[in-house]
Amino acid sequence: MVLDFRVDDLVQSVSLYSPRSVIIHGTVLPFVLLYCTWLYTWIFVYENDYLSEGVFLGLAVIGLFQILSCLCCYWSVHVQCFLTCTKEKNPKAAKLAKVVPTANNGSSELVNLHHHSDPKVSSDGDVIWFIFQKTKYVWDENKKQFRGLQFPIDLSFREYTEWKGYQEDADISNAEMKYGKNILDMVVPEFMELFKERATAPFFVFQVFCVGLWCLDKYWYYSLFTLLMLVLFEYTLVQQQLRNMAEIRKMGNKPHTLQVYRNRRWRPIQSDQLVPGDIVSIARSQNDNLVPCDLLLIRGPCIVDESMLTGESVPQMKEPIDEVDLNKILDVEADGKLHILFGGTKVVQHTPPSKSSAGLRAQDNGCVAYVLRTGFNTSQGKLLRTILFGVKRVTANNLETFGFILFLL
């Protein structure tokens, strides 16, 4: 099943697959048949008339093409799906999803398709979802397509002001299962993992192949020196990449304690445990703590430093929504920004809600806010995703790369 229509600004299309048995992979079964046919022809047809060198040469050629087919699966998700997977029409039977992003949003990926039961979400109780570039997509049975998580960012101001947070533990558990926790998990890979990725890139493989051919000549020591220089060059690039990723990881928020209104009372909770729909208290940042996620300011104004996200050095004034028309619908892309504290920003000054105002009032005299988006779905998370996945890998997915290698051959 191929969903050719555009899913959102990140995903262009989604195709559903199931993995084949290893023995019938396009990288295994055809070559097993070729090996058997070659050996049968040499033993029974030609009755060992040819020299053994010819046999080994034929086996080497077949093996070379098999290795090339395996590398093509690694280089291209489309080739991998063609050789190792079977297309599925029913999402309930599929186990994998090939996700093709929109232009300038990274490379295509083959991701696992997850299934779990939740009668509250789906009529038949089966919820199907996958994660692509830190973003969760859920199967919509009514529209027959995958959709990104729907966060509470388009309600009326009245609904936000009248919301009293999660009252029961079951509601909190359901929200955590649906949205996940407020974690910007940027795992820095091991050195060998990154080096393997670079060592299997088309250009590097082509260079190693050329070095192998040069070694057949009498100037083999020059070839080995060239190979050593290639490895050292890739080593320095991997080390630089690790340093860059470590710097990016520092951009994430460090968990800190907040006052959150849950189960009908204020309680201290770590910021990485927040879920959309929580009511939190936000005060002037202490110990360089940043706003943990995207928040809608309900009561109490703030002055916020947004330089980390926008580069603007002048602090911005944020107004609460309890002083505007409560029938108005929140628009996060337009004038709604005046009322939103974006994740990754810093509160430099706040004014506690007045004692005469109705509604919740935090024990620490902080401004009362509503959690809109968490994790990589916040403005800060989207910025980090752009840094992490915005650059397309130099693989055979790029037609220019593959064409250049064919030209060199």
Side-chain angles (χ1 to χ4, degrees), residues 127-366:
V127 179
I128 306 170
W129 55 278
F130 66 84
I131 294 179
F132 175 70
Q133 293 187 7
K134 306 291 186 179
T135 305
K136 185 176 181 179
Y137 290 86
V138 182
W139 175 255
D140 189 330
E141 187 63 32
N142 296 325
K143 296 186 177 181
K144 302 297 180 182
Q145 68 172 11
F146 283 97
R147 298 177 60 191
L149 281 179
Q150 302 300 305
F151 290 87
I153 58 173
D154 54 359
L155 306 179
S156 68
F157 288 163
R158 185 178 304 278
E159 292 178 84
Y160 292 117
T161 56
E162 294 178 352
W163 175 250
K164 302 302 181 182
Y166 293 106
Q167 304 293 313
E168 304 295 338
D169 291 336
D171 297 332
I172 299 173
S173 299
N174 291 334
E176 289 181 351
M177 181 176 295
K178 179 179 180 180
Y179 298 109
K181 296 183 179 180
N182 183 35
I183 300 176
L184 294 174
D185 52 337
M186 292 172 289
V187 180
V188 178
E190 298 291 336
F191 172 84
M192 288 306 300
E193 182 180 348
L194 289 178
F195 187 81
K196 176 185 175 183
E197 180 180 338
R198 300 197 66 89
T200 53
F203 280 124
F204 189 85
V205 172
F206 174 77
Q207 290 170 321
V208 171
F209 176 75
C210 293
V211 167
L213 292 180
W214 295 336
C215 285
L216 300 177
D217 203 352
K218 60 182 179 179
Y219 301 109
W220 56 269
Y221 40 87
Y222 291 118
S223 302
L224 294 180
F225 178 76
T226 302
L227 179 61
L228 177 62
M229 296 302 296
L230 289 174
V231 172
L232 290 177
F233 177 70
E234 296 296 339
Y235 172 84
T236 57
L237 291 180
V238 170
Q239 290 288 0
Q240 182 62 44
Q241 188 174 356
L242 287 173
R243 287 192 292 268
N244 293 340
M245 296 185 74
E247 290 296 324
I248 295 175
R249 188 179 185 182
K250 295 179 182 179
M251 296 176 63
N253 291 341
K254 296 180 181 179
H256 59 276
T257 303
L258 289 173
Q259 290 292 323
V260 182
Y261 193 78
R262 285 184 179 178
N263 302 103
R264 303 175 182 86
R265 66 185 179 90
W266 290 97
R267 57 174 60 187
I269 292 178
Q270 287 292 100
S271 59
D272 57 357
Q273 303 297 313
L274 296 176
V275 293
D278 271 329
I279 300 295
V280 302
S281 172
I282 291 293
R284 181 178 178 180
S285 299
Q286 303 292 330
N287 301 321
D288 292 330
N289 292 330
L290 304 177
V291 177
C293 53
D294 289 351
L295 305 172
L296 177 64
L297 206 55
I298 298 178
R299 296 179 182 89
C302 290
I303 298 178
V304 182
D305 178 7
E306 296 184 341
S307 59
M308 180 178 178
L309 295 182
T310 64
E312 176 60 56
S313 60
V314 178
Q316 303 295 312
M317 185 70 182
K318 299 293 182 178
E319 298 288 345
I321 63 172
D322 62 347
E323 299 176 358
V324 299
D325 181 11
L326 296 181
N327 294 319
K328 187 177 181 180
I329 302 299
L330 176 64
D331 186 352
V332 297
E333 300 298 333
D335 56 354
K337 294 181 179 180
L338 177 64
H339 312 291
I340 296 177
L341 305 180
F342 294 104
T345 59
K346 186 176 181 179
V347 177
V348 296
Q349 183 179 334
H350 81 283
T351 302
S354 62
K355 296 181 179 180
S356 60
S357 64
L360 296 174
R361 182 179 175 88
Q363 299 172 349
D364 60 354
N365 288 325

